[in-house]
Amino acid sequence: MEKTETTREYQKALHYLYAQMQTGDLAIGDRLPTERSLAEILSISRNSTREALRTMENMGMIESKQGSGHYLTGSISNSLSGMIRMMLLLNRTSQKEICAVRRSLEK
């Protein structure tokens, strides 16, 4: 049961940050609110806030700078290319599939 609550809290943080981006309150290069302030604003645990930020960092959406905070980045292409390379190495996709995805994205 605790896992479900954590998942909901984690998603609450993601939805909040996405909404901030959509309204323009957060733009590329902006510093995100601290873990503590996000947890207080959303009435969630800091662990859930940390999990949401870690997920966004793994996706290439934010960058964490030790002692400075988390910043919104535009480097998602680096994450995508890394993920594609990993999928190729693990034989989870083929170059043909990647080309098909690329063609559909270009449309």
Side-chain angles (χ1 to χ4, degrees):
M1 175 124 178
E2 184 180 355
K3 180 81 171 160
T4 306
E5 281 185 33
T6 302
T7 302
R8 278 188 249 142
E9 287 183 348
Y10 151 84
Q11 289 174 341
K12 191 175 180 180
L14 286 176
H15 290 296
Y16 174 79
L17 292 170
Y18 287 141
Q20 295 290 303
M21 289 181 246
Q22 286 179 329
T23 61
D25 291 333
L26 277 177
I28 291 178
D30 286 352
R31 183 172 182 250
L32 274 63
T34 64
E35 289 177 4
R36 180 172 296 186
S37 65
L38 280 172
E40 289 174 3
I41 290 167
L42 301 171
S43 300
I44 62 175
S45 71
R46 283 187 65 192
N47 284 338
S48 295
T49 303
R50 199 171 293 126
E51 184 178 351
L53 294 174
R54 192 174 325 121
T55 298
M56 291 177 73
E57 186 173 11
N58 289 336
M59 292 171 61
M61 296 177 67
I62 64 171
E63 179 181 7
S64 179
K65 296 181 182 177
Q66 184 80 22
S68 179
H70 301 279
Y71 294 84
L72 195 57
T73 67
S75 63
I76 195 163
S77 62
N78 293 338
S79 294
L80 286 174
S81 62
M83 180 181 64
I84 290 169
R85 279 194 302 274
M86 184 64 73
M87 289 176 67
L88 283 168
L89 285 172
L90 297 173
N91 295 320
R92 302 303 277 172
T93 192
S94 68
Q95 288 182 342
K96 184 178 179 180
E97 289 174 327
I98 292 168
C99 289
V101 169
R102 180 178 167 220
R103 280 192 297 276
S104 66
L105 287 173
E106 288 175 347
K107 291 179 184 178

